[in-house]
Amino acid sequence: MSAALVALYAPYCQGDQLETGLQWLARGELLGRRQLRPAGERPFVLRWQPGVAPLETTRAQLEVMADGVEQSVRYSFELPTHQLLSWLIGWLAAGGGSAQPADLPESFWQWLILGLETTAPQP
């Protein structure tokens, strides 16, 4: 991973997983599982076309699969690339990886479903 790219995103995204998160950002897709309460889960696929810079817009699509339903539910949205990277880092911290789907951070779901703004450090 380029040291310049790490330096570019470091003011927005902190943590040990920044370099791995940038590698996932370049992939453009992840598989996950949304934990349901009180039990169960829903598989999902998140796909995106990232911007190059942290404040550049990322176009993304979330596809959530449901049991017993032929069609999945799709959400399309745009957000700053640094915000997506932050959520990818949270996904990695929750155990996400190539062979292991995990849930995205709760802040993602609150943003998507409730429209709650996320807080991110300003440069």
Side-chain angles (χ1 to χ4, degrees):
M1 187 54 45
S2 160
L5 196 55
V6 170
L8 188 64
Y9 279 90
Y12 299 93
C13 302
Q14 317 287 306
D16 298 337
Q17 301 265 11
L18 178 57
E19 288 188 44
T20 306
L22 285 165
Q23 292 170 359
W24 274 94
L25 185 67
R27 289 183 183 202
E29 178 180 287
L30 70 79
L31 301 175
R33 295 203 175 275
R34 174 70 174 146
Q35 298 302 308
L36 303 176
R37 292 182 192 137
E41 58 188 18
R42 289 271 186 263
F44 65 84
V45 178
L46 179 62
R47 295 181 181 92
W48 61 88
Q49 302 245 329
V52 177
L55 294 176
E56 195 172 340
T57 300
T58 294
R59 290 189 174 99
Q61 182 180 47
L62 175 72
E63 183 176 359
V64 180
M65 286 61 92
D67 293 334
V69 179
E70 285 185 30
Q71 289 189 337
S72 56
V73 177
R74 292 190 177 129
Y75 301 89
S76 295
F77 49 90
E78 295 181 348
L79 67 159
T81 300
H82 73 85
Q83 183 58 66
L84 175 60
L85 178 57
S86 177
W87 287 327
L88 291 176
I89 291 170
W91 176 78
L92 288 164
S98 295
Q100 180 63 40
D103 202 354
L104 287 163
E106 194 61 31
S107 60
F108 168 79
W109 299 104
Q110 291 176 357
W111 175 82
L112 180 71
I113 297 168
L114 302 174
L116 298 179
E117 291 299 316
T118 60
T119 56
Q122 297 301 315

